[in-house]
Amino acid sequence: MSQKLWGARFKEDLHPAAKCFSYSLATDYALLSSDVKVSMAHVSMLGKVGLISKQDTKKMIRGLWQILAILKRKDISALMLEVEDIHTLIQETLEKKIGKLAKKLHTARSRNDLVATSTRLYVINKSKALALRITQLQSALLRQAEKNEKVLVPGYTHLQHAQIVLLAHHLLAYVEMFRRDFERVISIRERLSECPLGSGALAGSGLPIDRAYVAKLLGFKRPSANSMDAVSDRDFVIETISHLAILMMHASRLSEDLILWNSSEFRFVTLSDQYSTGSSLMPHKKNPDMLELIKGRTGEAYGHLMSVLTTMKGLPLTYNRDMQADKKPLFEALDLAELTLEVLTGVIGTMDVNKEACQQALQDSFLYATDLLEYLVGQKVAFRDAHDAVGRLVQYALDSHTHLSGLKLVDFQKFSPKFKKDVLDIFEPQASVARKVSSGSTNPKMVKASITKWKKQIKQTSAKLRKSRQFHA
Ligand code: ARG
């Protein structure tokens, strides 16, 4: 039977149901690499300050490397009701490897500061992987934007035809949203960069440890300032999941746009077979299941956020076992976001844009109503009067069962004498987007400049990320 880290004052073993209920190895096995590396740094520090000998330090660190390799390969399914948690498993395996020297591993630390440190490291590492995945999704969006640089589509508000836009402009809107997600994911690293180790169970340690040294070894910027805060708070978990929830919301909206565009009604894009599925009954079906699942599973991410917020809200300081419930939602939210980004990048990278269908959708000349309004404003008509005139013009066209582009100059002039012959040239899609002059608009020159800027930026960012010296769990 497995040894507990706390067994001596107990006469009886834990009830099997209590084990089943409380043992966390199945979840916190994910912390294996982080936890071992925290132990390595801890042991180095114990050696540095003289709490263990130089020779023992070497032996322990070598042992930790060895057990990391062993445990990475180990099938832990049989241990889930045997070993309480990952910390116990590491301790126990080290004892088997190097003998009783392993008993010094836990000197001047508690699982409370240990788990807070390992979890922070885990998130720091994941945040790097996530940030890279975000840049990959942005690159896929940019490639489609560049490949279809001249394609125009109706832009929508209320899912009603609004104004003509470049398809690239629509895709770049998501590049911007994911830029903010990227920034959020990167920004948590600053707040994650405080090392709890050495806070002990809650009050700190009576042994002469060097917290700054451990923090530095592990790549943290500084040791945490208050031992009670360090073992108690999980705001970094909540903050991480909340950023992921926002990221998932963006992924979900993009998915919905693509589902619509892939439908028989729109046909703007065709999704690749690699990311579509069929129907067991209707032989003709090709469904956008991956995108639907991204939308559906966004609810899971929100659930994880609510779950940790609720776990934490009524806890007295300091550590409470309730906090063990933070890990499953955190790990699942991180894995879900990473996989979602990978799938979405694949969907976008492999889809085809149907230029003819996009062109076809531009036939609706009500898409130019705002161009007509701006035309009149350009002729010095007051905005409200211009809006009114075009509104009545639209009504007239509808009543006459025709389109704005089907009207003659005399018809236009019935609604405003300021309409001149050149108004008939309005109904040209390329001209419509080219007329936009405000920065950030769908003007093709601006969109092109934006694509160029983004391509350069993403190249730089991902190179920087790949190079960044960061602890690797
Ligand atoms: N498994 C615990 C958690 O994830 C860490 C161990 C601390 N446990 C304790 N009883 N003090 O929060």
Side-chain angles (χ1 to χ4, degrees):
M1 199 186 61
S2 160
Q3 284 289 318
K4 292 189 184 60
L5 297 178
W6 42 266
R9 60 97 71 219
F10 288 82
K11 288 198 189 114
E12 285 184 284
D13 192 16
L14 204 58
H15 189 279
K19 281 188 184 174
C20 186
F21 190 61
S22 64
Y23 279 20
S24 59
L25 184 64
T27 302
D28 59 29
Y29 176 74
L31 291 177
L32 170 67
S33 300
S34 312
D35 219 67
V36 170
K37 298 213 171 163
V38 172
S39 287
M40 286 176 185
H42 183 66
V43 168
S44 301
M45 182 278 291
L46 293 176
K48 177 177 177 274
V49 300
L51 281 166
I52 54 174
S53 72
K54 296 278 172 257
Q55 208 190 0
D56 285 352
T57 307
K58 268 198 197 146
K59 271 192 207 155
M60 283 171 88
I61 292 182
R62 198 177 327 119
L64 283 164
W65 275 116
Q66 288 166 333
I67 66 151
L68 178 60
I70 295 168
L71 290 177
K72 269 185 178 169
R73 277 183 270 111
K74 199 173 179 77
D75 175 10
I76 55 140
S77 47
L79 300 177
M80 305 221 186
L81 295 181
E82 287 293 319
V83 182
E84 184 177 340
D85 56 24
I86 185 64
H87 323 295
T88 313
L89 182 65
I90 290 168
Q91 173 75 47
E92 219 179 83
T93 317
L94 189 66
E95 269 182 52
K96 278 190 200 135
K97 191 84 213 162
I98 64 169
K100 63 179 190 320
L101 175 59
K103 292 186 177 181
K104 295 191 173 173
L105 177 63
H106 221 55
T107 310
R109 74 178 194 191
S110 142
R111 279 182 297 170
N112 299 353
D113 56 346
L114 174 58
V115 77
T117 309
S118 305
T119 309
R120 278 173 183 260
L121 277 187
Y122 183 87
V123 178
I124 290 172
N125 271 305
K126 279 283 191 180
S127 73
K128 178 176 167 177
L130 258 173
L132 264 174
R133 286 252 180 249
I134 296 175
T135 60
Q136 284 158 2
L137 174 58
Q138 288 177 308
S139 297
L141 286 161
L142 280 173
R143 275 195 295 277
Q144 284 291 1
E146 202 173 23
K147 201 165 131 197
N148 300 285
E149 213 183 334
K150 297 208 152 46
V151 177
L152 298 167
V153 286
Y156 296 80
T157 61
H158 313 271
L159 199 56
Q160 305 275 331
H161 278 182
Q163 288 181 272
I164 296 170
V165 293
L166 282 159
L167 178 85
H169 194 51
H170 194 133
L171 298 175
L172 282 166
Y174 284 104
V175 174
E176 295 292 340
M177 291 179 223
F178 290 117
R179 185 231 339 142
R180 292 191 292 276
D181 290 317
F182 178 94
E183 288 168 358
R184 275 185 280 268
V185 164
I186 290 294
S187 77
I188 36 174
R189 301 186 349 154
E190 177 57 31
R191 279 177 299 286
L192 279 165
S193 206
E194 298 179 355
C195 184
L197 206 68
S199 299
L202 77 160
S205 173
L207 298 167
I209 53 174
D210 185 342
R211 294 192 58 216
Y213 180 73
V214 182
K216 195 163 163 241
L217 277 186
L218 289 170
F220 287 101
K221 288 205 176 130
R222 60 195 91 85
S224 53
N226 180 302
S227 62
M228 295 180 80
D229 170 43
V231 296
S232 292
D233 207 3
R234 291 292 183 267
D235 56 1
F236 71 95
V237 172
I238 295 170
E239 192 179 352
T240 302
I241 305 180
S242 91
H243 294 342
L244 298 178
I246 299 174
L247 168 77
M248 288 299 292
M249 177 274 295
H250 285 151
S252 180
R253 290 192 74 178
L254 174 52
S255 298
E256 180 58 18
D257 268 345
L258 295 175
I259 289 170
L260 285 171
W261 287 2
N262 183 60
S263 70
S264 317
E265 282 68 26
F266 283 74
R267 295 189 302 109
F268 293 176
V269 298
T270 305
L271 300 185
S272 124
D273 283 3
Q274 283 181 62
Y275 295 97
S276 309
T277 53
S279 156
S280 59
L281 192 144
M282 300 167 283
H284 68 291
K285 291 295 290 289
K286 183 173 154 187
N287 300 325
D289 289 26
M290 300 311 128
L291 298 171
E292 290 170 342
L293 280 165
I294 290 173
K295 290 195 305 161
R297 301 194 63 187
T298 295
E300 282 178 37
Y302 297 175
H304 294 320
L305 177 59
M306 282 308 127
S307 155
V308 185
L309 278 170
T310 312
T311 297
M312 295 304 296
K313 79 178 177 61
L315 299 184
L317 296 191
T318 56
Y319 180 84
N320 300 269
R321 190 69 179 269
D322 313 41
M323 285 154 72
Q324 179 169 294
D326 67 342
K327 268 159 230 71
K328 211 164 175 218
L330 173 66
F331 297 165
E332 286 186 6
L334 282 163
D335 289 346
L336 175 64
E338 219 180 314
L339 200 51
T340 296
L341 288 167
E342 187 181 350
V343 169
L344 200 48
T345 303
V347 171
I348 288 160
T350 55
M351 75 185 186
D352 284 323
V353 171
N354 306 325
K355 299 196 168 98
E356 302 74 45
C358 296
Q359 176 71 33
Q360 196 75 31
L362 300 174
Q363 297 305 315
D364 174 7
S365 60
F366 290 119
L367 282 164
Y368 298 90
T370 312
D371 297 74
L372 289 171
L373 162 61
E374 288 185 348
Y375 173 96
L376 286 180
V377 172
Q379 303 293 320
K380 307 279 180 268
V381 179
F383 182 86
R384 280 266 59 87
D385 294 337
H387 191 284
D388 199 59
V390 178
R392 284 185 290 113
L393 189 67
V394 166
Q395 192 58 57
Y396 173 78
L398 287 170
D399 291 345
S400 321
H401 303 289
T402 186
H403 286 285
L404 288 173
S405 57
L407 300 175
K408 303 213 162 44
L409 179 59
V410 284
D411 298 320
F412 282 99
Q413 287 174 336
K414 276 183 213 151
F415 296 90
S416 171
K418 297 286 183 177
F419 279 125
K420 299 281 159 353
K421 197 160 163 275
D422 60 353
V423 71
L424 302 176
D425 301 332
I426 287 265
F427 303 100
E428 214 282 301
Q430 289 292 348
S432 173
V433 286
R435 272 194 293 271
K436 303 291 177 292
V437 289
S438 58
S439 65
S441 70
T442 192
N443 179 297
K445 287 200 189 102
M446 295 181 194
V447 172
K448 197 179 173 71
S450 187
I451 294 176
T452 311
K453 180 206 82 179
W454 266 116
K455 273 175 60 184
K456 206 170 131 205
Q457 198 161 314
I458 284 175
K459 214 167 145 195
Q460 283 171 356
T461 313
S462 35
K464 211 167 119 195
L465 261 178
R466 280 179 219 279
K467 268 211 322 257
S468 75
R469 192 204 153 264
Q470 196 60 252
F471 164 90
H472 285 278

PDB file of all heavy atoms in Angstrom, residues 6 22 24 28 31 84-87 110-112 115-116 119 234 319-327, ligand 1:
ATOM      1  N   TRP A   6       1.249  12.060   5.312  1.00  0.00           N
ATOM      2  CA  TRP A   6       0.776  12.593   6.596  1.00  0.00           C
ATOM      3  C   TRP A   6       0.261  11.509   7.546  1.00  0.00           C
ATOM      4  O   TRP A   6      -0.469  11.806   8.479  1.00  0.00           O
ATOM      5  CB  TRP A   6      -0.369  13.581   6.336  1.00  0.00           C
ATOM      6  CG  TRP A   6      -1.350  13.100   5.271  1.00  0.00           C
ATOM      7  CD1 TRP A   6      -1.298  13.407   3.954  1.00  0.00           C
ATOM      8  CD2 TRP A   6      -2.474  12.237   5.439  1.00  0.00           C
ATOM      9  NE1 TRP A   6      -2.321  12.787   3.274  1.00  0.00           N
ATOM     10  CE2 TRP A   6      -3.076  12.072   4.167  1.00  0.00           C
ATOM     11  CE3 TRP A   6      -3.058  11.566   6.533  1.00  0.00           C
ATOM     12  CZ2 TRP A   6      -4.204  11.272   3.948  1.00  0.00           C
ATOM     13  CZ3 TRP A   6      -4.196  10.778   6.310  1.00  0.00           C
ATOM     14  CH2 TRP A   6      -4.749  10.637   5.031  1.00  0.00           C
ATOM     15  N   SER A  22     -11.590  11.694  -2.748  1.00  0.00           N
ATOM     16  CA  SER A  22     -10.614  12.771  -2.530  1.00  0.00           C
ATOM     17  C   SER A  22      -9.310  12.628  -3.307  1.00  0.00           C
ATOM     18  O   SER A  22      -8.614  13.613  -3.502  1.00  0.00           O
ATOM     19  CB  SER A  22     -10.296  12.875  -1.032  1.00  0.00           C
ATOM     20  OG  SER A  22      -9.679  11.675  -0.593  1.00  0.00           O
ATOM     21  N   SER A  24      -6.600  12.646  -6.029  1.00  0.00           N
ATOM     22  CA  SER A  24      -6.629  13.527  -7.199  1.00  0.00           C
ATOM     23  C   SER A  24      -5.602  13.180  -8.275  1.00  0.00           C
ATOM     24  O   SER A  24      -5.415  13.935  -9.226  1.00  0.00           O
ATOM     25  CB  SER A  24      -6.401  14.976  -6.740  1.00  0.00           C
ATOM     26  OG  SER A  24      -5.145  15.070  -6.079  1.00  0.00           O
ATOM     27  N   ASP A  28      -4.289  15.482 -11.268  1.00  0.00           N
ATOM     28  CA  ASP A  28      -3.053  16.269 -11.105  1.00  0.00           C
ATOM     29  C   ASP A  28      -1.806  15.571 -11.634  1.00  0.00           C
ATOM     30  O   ASP A  28      -0.712  16.140 -11.586  1.00  0.00           O
ATOM     31  CB  ASP A  28      -2.888  16.810  -9.674  1.00  0.00           C
ATOM     32  CG  ASP A  28      -2.857  15.740  -8.601  1.00  0.00           C
ATOM     33  OD1 ASP A  28      -2.423  14.626  -8.890  1.00  0.00           O
ATOM     34  OD2 ASP A  28      -3.253  16.046  -7.450  1.00  0.00           O
ATOM     35  N   LEU A  31       0.364  17.583 -13.721  1.00  0.00           N
ATOM     36  CA  LEU A  31       1.385  18.481 -13.154  1.00  0.00           C
ATOM     37  C   LEU A  31       2.752  17.810 -13.011  1.00  0.00           C
ATOM     38  O   LEU A  31       3.689  18.433 -12.501  1.00  0.00           O
ATOM     39  CB  LEU A  31       0.943  18.967 -11.762  1.00  0.00           C
ATOM     40  CG  LEU A  31      -0.254  19.922 -11.686  1.00  0.00           C
ATOM     41  CD1 LEU A  31      -0.571  20.229 -10.222  1.00  0.00           C
ATOM     42  CD2 LEU A  31       0.041  21.222 -12.433  1.00  0.00           C
ATOM     43  N   GLU A  84      -2.413   9.154  -3.306  1.00  0.00           N
ATOM     44  CA  GLU A  84      -3.309  10.295  -3.098  1.00  0.00           C
ATOM     45  C   GLU A  84      -3.215  11.357  -4.196  1.00  0.00           C
ATOM     46  O   GLU A  84      -4.222  11.833  -4.703  1.00  0.00           O
ATOM     47  CB  GLU A  84      -2.994  10.936  -1.732  1.00  0.00           C
ATOM     48  CG  GLU A  84      -3.946  12.060  -1.403  1.00  0.00           C
ATOM     49  CD  GLU A  84      -3.669  12.655  -0.016  1.00  0.00           C
ATOM     50  OE1 GLU A  84      -3.024  11.986   0.808  1.00  0.00           O
ATOM     51  OE2 GLU A  84      -4.100  13.797   0.221  1.00  0.00           O
ATOM     52  N   ASP A  85      -1.984  11.742  -4.517  1.00  0.00           N
ATOM     53  CA  ASP A  85      -1.847  12.800  -5.521  1.00  0.00           C
ATOM     54  C   ASP A  85      -0.478  12.733  -6.188  1.00  0.00           C
ATOM     55  O   ASP A  85       0.352  11.894  -5.838  1.00  0.00           O
ATOM     56  CB  ASP A  85      -2.107  14.188  -4.902  1.00  0.00           C
ATOM     57  CG  ASP A  85      -1.196  14.468  -3.704  1.00  0.00           C
ATOM     58  OD1 ASP A  85      -0.122  13.855  -3.626  1.00  0.00           O
ATOM     59  OD2 ASP A  85      -1.570  15.294  -2.847  1.00  0.00           O
ATOM     60  N   ILE A  86      -0.229  13.620  -7.099  1.00  0.00           N
ATOM     61  CA  ILE A  86       1.026  13.603  -7.852  1.00  0.00           C
ATOM     62  C   ILE A  86       2.231  13.838  -6.934  1.00  0.00           C
ATOM     63  O   ILE A  86       3.291  13.244  -7.121  1.00  0.00           O
ATOM     64  CB  ILE A  86       0.987  14.639  -9.018  1.00  0.00           C
ATOM     65  CG1 ILE A  86       2.244  14.534  -9.890  1.00  0.00           C
ATOM     66  CG2 ILE A  86       0.808  16.061  -8.520  1.00  0.00           C
ATOM     67  CD1 ILE A  86       2.425  13.236 -10.614  1.00  0.00           C
ATOM     68  N   HIS A  87       2.033  14.654  -5.911  1.00  0.00           N
ATOM     69  CA  HIS A  87       3.152  14.950  -5.002  1.00  0.00           C
ATOM     70  C   HIS A  87       3.571  13.681  -4.250  1.00  0.00           C
ATOM     71  O   HIS A  87       4.752  13.416  -4.057  1.00  0.00           O
ATOM     72  CB  HIS A  87       2.770  16.047  -3.995  1.00  0.00           C
ATOM     73  CG  HIS A  87       1.904  17.106  -4.597  1.00  0.00           C
ATOM     74  ND1 HIS A  87       2.350  17.942  -5.585  1.00  0.00           N
ATOM     75  CD2 HIS A  87       0.597  17.439  -4.384  1.00  0.00           C
ATOM     76  CE1 HIS A  87       1.358  18.750  -5.955  1.00  0.00           C
ATOM     77  NE2 HIS A  87       0.292  18.464  -5.234  1.00  0.00           N
ATOM     78  N   SER A 110       5.444  22.674   1.924  1.00  0.00           N
ATOM     79  CA  SER A 110       4.180  21.991   2.161  1.00  0.00           C
ATOM     80  C   SER A 110       3.574  21.720   0.793  1.00  0.00           C
ATOM     81  O   SER A 110       3.997  22.312  -0.209  1.00  0.00           O
ATOM     82  CB  SER A 110       3.280  22.922   2.983  1.00  0.00           C
ATOM     83  OG  SER A 110       1.944  22.826   2.572  1.00  0.00           O
ATOM     84  N   ARG A 111       2.600  20.852   0.733  1.00  0.00           N
ATOM     85  CA  ARG A 111       1.946  20.672  -0.571  1.00  0.00           C
ATOM     86  C   ARG A 111       1.182  21.932  -0.971  1.00  0.00           C
ATOM     87  O   ARG A 111       0.885  22.133  -2.133  1.00  0.00           O
ATOM     88  CB  ARG A 111       1.005  19.467  -0.525  1.00  0.00           C
ATOM     89  CG  ARG A 111       1.727  18.156  -0.703  1.00  0.00           C
ATOM     90  CD  ARG A 111       0.773  17.011  -0.689  1.00  0.00           C
ATOM     91  NE  ARG A 111       0.090  16.895   0.580  1.00  0.00           N
ATOM     92  CZ  ARG A 111      -0.947  16.101   0.821  1.00  0.00           C
ATOM     93  NH1 ARG A 111      -1.447  15.379  -0.159  1.00  0.00           N
ATOM     94  NH2 ARG A 111      -1.500  16.031   2.012  1.00  0.00           N
ATOM     95  N   ASN A 112       0.876  22.752   0.036  1.00  0.00           N
ATOM     96  CA  ASN A 112       0.112  23.959  -0.285  1.00  0.00           C
ATOM     97  C   ASN A 112       0.911  24.942  -1.141  1.00  0.00           C
ATOM     98  O   ASN A 112       0.407  25.463  -2.140  1.00  0.00           O
ATOM     99  CB  ASN A 112      -0.358  24.654   0.996  1.00  0.00           C
ATOM    100  CG  ASN A 112      -1.279  23.765   1.813  1.00  0.00           C
ATOM    101  OD1 ASN A 112      -1.663  22.687   1.358  1.00  0.00           O
ATOM    102  ND2 ASN A 112      -1.639  24.198   3.017  1.00  0.00           N
ATOM    103  N   VAL A 115       1.834  22.957  -4.620  1.00  0.00           N
ATOM    104  CA  VAL A 115       0.817  22.854  -5.671  1.00  0.00           C
ATOM    105  C   VAL A 115       0.546  24.223  -6.305  1.00  0.00           C
ATOM    106  O   VAL A 115       0.333  24.329  -7.519  1.00  0.00           O
ATOM    107  CB  VAL A 115      -0.483  22.174  -5.151  1.00  0.00           C
ATOM    108  CG1 VAL A 115      -1.329  23.117  -4.306  1.00  0.00           C
ATOM    109  CG2 VAL A 115      -1.300  21.623  -6.305  1.00  0.00           C
ATOM    110  N   ALA A 116       0.618  25.267  -5.491  1.00  0.00           N
ATOM    111  CA  ALA A 116       0.403  26.610  -6.051  1.00  0.00           C
ATOM    112  C   ALA A 116       1.521  26.952  -7.038  1.00  0.00           C
ATOM    113  O   ALA A 116       1.278  27.562  -8.090  1.00  0.00           O
ATOM    114  CB  ALA A 116       0.352  27.646  -4.924  1.00  0.00           C
ATOM    115  N   THR A 119       1.220  24.624 -10.287  1.00  0.00           N
ATOM    116  CA  THR A 119       0.085  25.002 -11.132  1.00  0.00           C
ATOM    117  C   THR A 119       0.410  26.278 -11.900  1.00  0.00           C
ATOM    118  O   THR A 119       0.096  26.407 -13.080  1.00  0.00           O
ATOM    119  CB  THR A 119      -1.195  25.176 -10.280  1.00  0.00           C
ATOM    120  OG1 THR A 119      -1.347  24.009  -9.474  1.00  0.00           O
ATOM    121  CG2 THR A 119      -2.428  25.339 -11.142  1.00  0.00           C
ATOM    122  N   ARG A 234      -6.417  31.722  -5.841  1.00  0.00           N
ATOM    123  CA  ARG A 234      -6.405  31.059  -7.142  1.00  0.00           C
ATOM    124  C   ARG A 234      -6.905  32.042  -8.191  1.00  0.00           C
ATOM    125  O   ARG A 234      -7.495  31.651  -9.179  1.00  0.00           O
ATOM    126  CB  ARG A 234      -7.292  29.806  -7.131  1.00  0.00           C
ATOM    127  CG  ARG A 234      -6.764  28.670  -6.274  1.00  0.00           C
ATOM    128  CD  ARG A 234      -5.473  28.054  -6.857  1.00  0.00           C
ATOM    129  NE  ARG A 234      -5.021  26.916  -6.057  1.00  0.00           N
ATOM    130  CZ  ARG A 234      -4.135  26.995  -5.058  1.00  0.00           C
ATOM    131  NH1 ARG A 234      -3.607  28.170  -4.725  1.00  0.00           N
ATOM    132  NH2 ARG A 234      -3.773  25.918  -4.391  1.00  0.00           N
ATOM    133  N   TYR A 319      -5.292  27.861   2.925  1.00  0.00           N
ATOM    134  CA  TYR A 319      -5.613  26.724   2.071  1.00  0.00           C
ATOM    135  C   TYR A 319      -6.818  25.949   2.604  1.00  0.00           C
ATOM    136  O   TYR A 319      -6.964  25.729   3.809  1.00  0.00           O
ATOM    137  CB  TYR A 319      -4.400  25.768   1.958  1.00  0.00           C
ATOM    138  CG  TYR A 319      -4.710  24.576   1.071  1.00  0.00           C
ATOM    139  CD1 TYR A 319      -4.578  24.658  -0.302  1.00  0.00           C
ATOM    140  CD2 TYR A 319      -5.202  23.389   1.622  1.00  0.00           C
ATOM    141  CE1 TYR A 319      -4.914  23.588  -1.122  1.00  0.00           C
ATOM    142  CE2 TYR A 319      -5.534  22.319   0.814  1.00  0.00           C
ATOM    143  CZ  TYR A 319      -5.386  22.422  -0.552  1.00  0.00           C
ATOM    144  OH  TYR A 319      -5.730  21.366  -1.361  1.00  0.00           O
ATOM    145  N   ASN A 320      -7.688  25.545   1.712  1.00  0.00           N
ATOM    146  CA  ASN A 320      -8.788  24.633   2.022  1.00  0.00           C
ATOM    147  C   ASN A 320      -8.812  23.597   0.912  1.00  0.00           C
ATOM    148  O   ASN A 320      -8.531  23.916  -0.250  1.00  0.00           O
ATOM    149  CB  ASN A 320     -10.134  25.362   2.032  1.00  0.00           C
ATOM    150  CG  ASN A 320     -10.168  26.469   3.069  1.00  0.00           C
ATOM    151  OD1 ASN A 320     -10.562  26.271   4.197  1.00  0.00           O
ATOM    152  ND2 ASN A 320      -9.718  27.656   2.675  1.00  0.00           N
ATOM    153  N   ARG A 321      -9.221  22.398   1.269  1.00  0.00           N
ATOM    154  CA  ARG A 321      -9.170  21.319   0.279  1.00  0.00           C
ATOM    155  C   ARG A 321     -10.127  21.585  -0.891  1.00  0.00           C
ATOM    156  O   ARG A 321      -9.971  21.019  -1.964  1.00  0.00           O
ATOM    157  CB  ARG A 321      -9.478  19.979   0.962  1.00  0.00           C
ATOM    158  CG  ARG A 321      -9.236  18.749   0.100  1.00  0.00           C
ATOM    159  CD  ARG A 321      -7.759  18.508  -0.187  1.00  0.00           C
ATOM    160  NE  ARG A 321      -7.544  17.311  -0.988  1.00  0.00           N
ATOM    161  CZ  ARG A 321      -7.326  16.103  -0.479  1.00  0.00           C
ATOM    162  NH1 ARG A 321      -7.268  15.916   0.819  1.00  0.00           N
ATOM    163  NH2 ARG A 321      -7.160  15.057  -1.269  1.00  0.00           N
ATOM    164  N   ASP A 322     -11.115  22.433  -0.633  1.00  0.00           N
ATOM    165  CA  ASP A 322     -12.022  22.825  -1.727  1.00  0.00           C
ATOM    166  C   ASP A 322     -11.216  23.178  -2.983  1.00  0.00           C
ATOM    167  O   ASP A 322     -11.634  22.964  -4.110  1.00  0.00           O
ATOM    168  CB  ASP A 322     -12.829  24.088  -1.374  1.00  0.00           C
ATOM    169  CG  ASP A 322     -13.469  24.084  -0.004  1.00  0.00           C
ATOM    170  OD1 ASP A 322     -12.815  23.637   0.959  1.00  0.00           O
ATOM    171  OD2 ASP A 322     -14.614  24.569   0.096  1.00  0.00           O
ATOM    172  N   MET A 323     -10.037  23.774  -2.715  1.00  0.00           N
ATOM    173  CA  MET A 323      -9.248  24.339  -3.816  1.00  0.00           C
ATOM    174  C   MET A 323      -8.713  23.293  -4.772  1.00  0.00           C
ATOM    175  O   MET A 323      -8.309  23.625  -5.893  1.00  0.00           O
ATOM    176  CB  MET A 323      -8.107  25.189  -3.240  1.00  0.00           C
ATOM    177  CG  MET A 323      -8.625  26.512  -2.704  1.00  0.00           C
ATOM    178  SD  MET A 323      -7.595  27.188  -1.424  1.00  0.00           S
ATOM    179  CE  MET A 323      -6.189  27.683  -2.373  1.00  0.00           C
ATOM    180  N   GLN A 324      -8.733  22.048  -4.345  1.00  0.00           N
ATOM    181  CA  GLN A 324      -8.318  20.978  -5.253  1.00  0.00           C
ATOM    182  C   GLN A 324      -9.234  20.945  -6.481  1.00  0.00           C
ATOM    183  O   GLN A 324      -8.831  20.476  -7.545  1.00  0.00           O
ATOM    184  CB  GLN A 324      -8.378  19.641  -4.513  1.00  0.00           C
ATOM    185  CG  GLN A 324      -7.993  18.454  -5.342  1.00  0.00           C
ATOM    186  CD  GLN A 324      -7.808  17.226  -4.488  1.00  0.00           C
ATOM    187  OE1 GLN A 324      -6.901  17.155  -3.660  1.00  0.00           O
ATOM    188  NE2 GLN A 324      -8.681  16.250  -4.657  1.00  0.00           N
ATOM    189  N   ALA A 325     -10.453  21.445  -6.291  1.00  0.00           N
ATOM    190  CA  ALA A 325     -11.428  21.426  -7.392  1.00  0.00           C
ATOM    191  C   ALA A 325     -11.111  22.450  -8.477  1.00  0.00           C
ATOM    192  O   ALA A 325     -11.857  22.591  -9.437  1.00  0.00           O
ATOM    193  CB  ALA A 325     -12.835  21.656  -6.839  1.00  0.00           C
ATOM    194  N   ASP A 326      -9.999  23.169  -8.325  1.00  0.00           N
ATOM    195  CA  ASP A 326      -9.658  24.155  -9.370  1.00  0.00           C
ATOM    196  C   ASP A 326      -8.990  23.508 -10.583  1.00  0.00           C
ATOM    197  O   ASP A 326      -9.026  24.046 -11.680  1.00  0.00           O
ATOM    198  CB  ASP A 326      -8.719  25.246  -8.808  1.00  0.00           C
ATOM    199  CG  ASP A 326      -7.333  24.694  -8.429  1.00  0.00           C
ATOM    200  OD1 ASP A 326      -7.187  23.462  -8.278  1.00  0.00           O
ATOM    201  OD2 ASP A 326      -6.400  25.493  -8.280  1.00  0.00           O
ATOM    202  N   LYS A 327      -8.373  22.329 -10.357  1.00  0.00           N
ATOM    203  CA  LYS A 327      -7.496  21.810 -11.400  1.00  0.00           C
ATOM    204  C   LYS A 327      -8.220  21.250 -12.609  1.00  0.00           C
ATOM    205  O   LYS A 327      -7.853  21.518 -13.756  1.00  0.00           O
ATOM    206  CB  LYS A 327      -6.544  20.778 -10.824  1.00  0.00           C
ATOM    207  CG  LYS A 327      -5.268  21.449 -10.399  1.00  0.00           C
ATOM    208  CD  LYS A 327      -4.498  20.676  -9.406  1.00  0.00           C
ATOM    209  CE  LYS A 327      -4.109  21.538  -8.236  1.00  0.00           C
ATOM    210  NZ  LYS A 327      -5.211  21.929  -7.350  1.00  0.00           N
TER     211      LYS A 327
HETATM  212  N1  ARG B   1      -4.209  18.074  -3.950  1.00  0.00           N
HETATM  213  C1  ARG B   1      -4.231  19.344  -3.332  1.00  0.00           C
HETATM  214  C2  ARG B   1      -4.739  20.427  -4.248  1.00  0.00           C
HETATM  215  O1  ARG B   1      -4.708  20.240  -5.393  1.00  0.00           O
HETATM  216  C3  ARG B   1      -2.860  19.761  -2.917  1.00  0.00           C
HETATM  217  C4  ARG B   1      -2.437  19.187  -1.649  1.00  0.00           C
HETATM  218  C5  ARG B   1      -2.632  20.036  -0.466  1.00  0.00           C
HETATM  219  N2  ARG B   1      -3.436  19.255   0.369  1.00  0.00           N
HETATM  220  C6  ARG B   1      -3.561  19.417   1.655  1.00  0.00           C
HETATM  221  N3  ARG B   1      -4.318  18.578   2.226  1.00  0.00           N
HETATM  222  N4  ARG B   1      -2.997  20.376   2.302  1.00  0.00           N
HETATM  223  O2  ARG B   1      -5.141  21.468  -3.790  1.00  0.00           O
END
